Every structure is written in structure tokens, then in C-alpha cells.
Amino acid sequence: MPEPDGRQRCGWAGTAPEYVAYHDDEWGCPLRGIPAMFERLSLEAFQSGLSWLVILRKRPAFRAAFAGFDPVTVAGFGAADVERLLADAAIVRNRAKIEATVNNARRVLELDRPLDELLWSFAPEPAAHRRPATLAEVPATSVESVAMARELKRRGLRFVGPTTCYALMQAAGLVDDHVAGCWRASSR
């Protein structure tokens, strides 16, 4: 059913303005660049167990707290930075996730290829990916997200399970899971 603006969207987009903007302007759009992909990887990890709306509303604070998700800067964070972040009520204050983000930045700097290139190497061929007809058909994982998670863990990254990796793949446009009938489904 079309929204008040006349556009039909994926059911998860709901009516929260943050969700609508994220759905319309970002989700499923091909994303490149190391800081941008590191941000998405980090925010998907922070989202684990929480609503994505919480993360969207806190995203400006996350960007400020994590230096725009510049891996070089975040890799330099030490114990005092972790304590500072744990005291920052504007972000999700979870020690394991904060420490994982710092660890992941360090691991990103050790990669033998750029992070975005590594992540995009797991994108399925677009022709092999079937557009879901309904939200019920949208998977939580895929063969590719399982392989991505395995490789990232092998390289020492944390909070990168298959579900988190699949959410990253959706968010960064590695897969296009806009459901049939969504106005964005025909935009790619």
C-alpha cells in the first residue's frame, strides 16, 4: 500500500522519518570507500540485539565518538578512549562492541586489500539474486554472508557473524532486497 507521499516501500521502512529517509536514500545503494564501509560494519555490530532505529537516531553521535569511522584514528584508541566511550550516553555503551570496533579498525589496517574491495568480493552476481516478493522472503543470512563472516573472523574481526554480515550486504548494496512493489526495487 502506498505511503502518504504516494510511494510504496518495503514494510520495514515503517513511518518513522529516520527509517523512511534511510530506506529511500541509503539502504541498498552501492557503497564504496573504507571509512563508509567501516562505519556500516561497525554500526551493524552495534545494532546486534537492538532496533536499527536506535542506531539511526544515534548515528551522528557514533560518527563523532568514532572520529567519522576513520580506521586509522579508531585503531589508535586506547583504554582511556574506551572508558570515554563507555561514559558517552549518546551512543550504545557496550564494552564488548566498543572494544570490537577498536579491534576491527586495527584489523582493517592489516588487510592486504582495501576493506570495501574485500567486502564487495562476497557480493553475489545480481542475476543470481532473486528479488523477494514479501518481507517474509528476505533471508537473514546467505551463503555469501556466511563466507564473509568466516573470512572476517579469520582475519581477526569481531561481531561479524553471518546475520550481521548479511545486514551489511543489504545496507551497502551488495544485495538488493527491496521487495517487489517497492519504488526502490525498480531503481537499480
Side-chain angles (χ1 to χ4, degrees), residues 5 7 11-12 26 30 37-38 42 46 48 50 52 56-57 62 66 74 86 99 136 148 161 165 167 169 188:
D5 64 3
R7 291 180 166 170
W12 64 262
E26 294 183 65
M37 289 298 257
F38 180 60
S42 301
F46 272 101
S48 181
L50 301 172
W52 183 245
L56 282 177
R57 288 179 173 160
F62 272 112
F66 286 97
V74 177
L86 285 168
E99 289 176 346
M148 179 190 285
C165 286
M169 293 173 78
R188 283 184 59 188

Side-chain angles (χ1 to χ4, degrees), residues 11-27:
W12 64 262
T15 57
E18 297 91 346
Y19 266 157
V20 172
Y22 179 68
H23 173 274
D24 289 2
D25 301 331
E26 294 183 65
W27 193 76

Side-chain angles (χ1 to χ4, degrees), residues 22 26 31 35-40 42-43 46 52 55-70 73-74 77 84-85 88 90-92 101:
Y22 179 68
E26 294 183 65
L31 185 66
M37 289 298 257
F38 180 60
E39 174 182 349
R40 292 293 167 79
S42 301
L43 293 180
F46 272 101
W52 183 245
I55 302 303
L56 282 177
R57 288 179 173 160
K58 291 179 177 278
R59 187 161 59 167
F62 272 112
R63 286 175 172 163
F66 286 97
F69 289 97
D70 171 47
T73 303
V74 177
F77 283 9
R84 170 183 55 83
L85 294 168
D88 187 345
I91 66 167
V92 173
T101 303

Side-chain angles (χ1 to χ4, degrees), residues 5-13 19-31 40 131-132 170-188:
D5 64 3
R7 291 180 166 170
Q8 186 170 334
R9 293 180 175 84
C10 299
W12 64 262
Y19 266 157
V20 172
Y22 179 68
H23 173 274
D24 289 2
D25 301 331
E26 294 183 65
W27 193 76
C29 293
L31 185 66
R40 292 293 167 79
R131 178 165 313 286
Q170 292 171 307
L174 282 71
V175 295
D176 178 3
D177 276 342
H178 287 283
V179 299
C182 172
W183 76 272
R184 286 291 314 282
S186 61
S187 68
R188 283 184 59 188

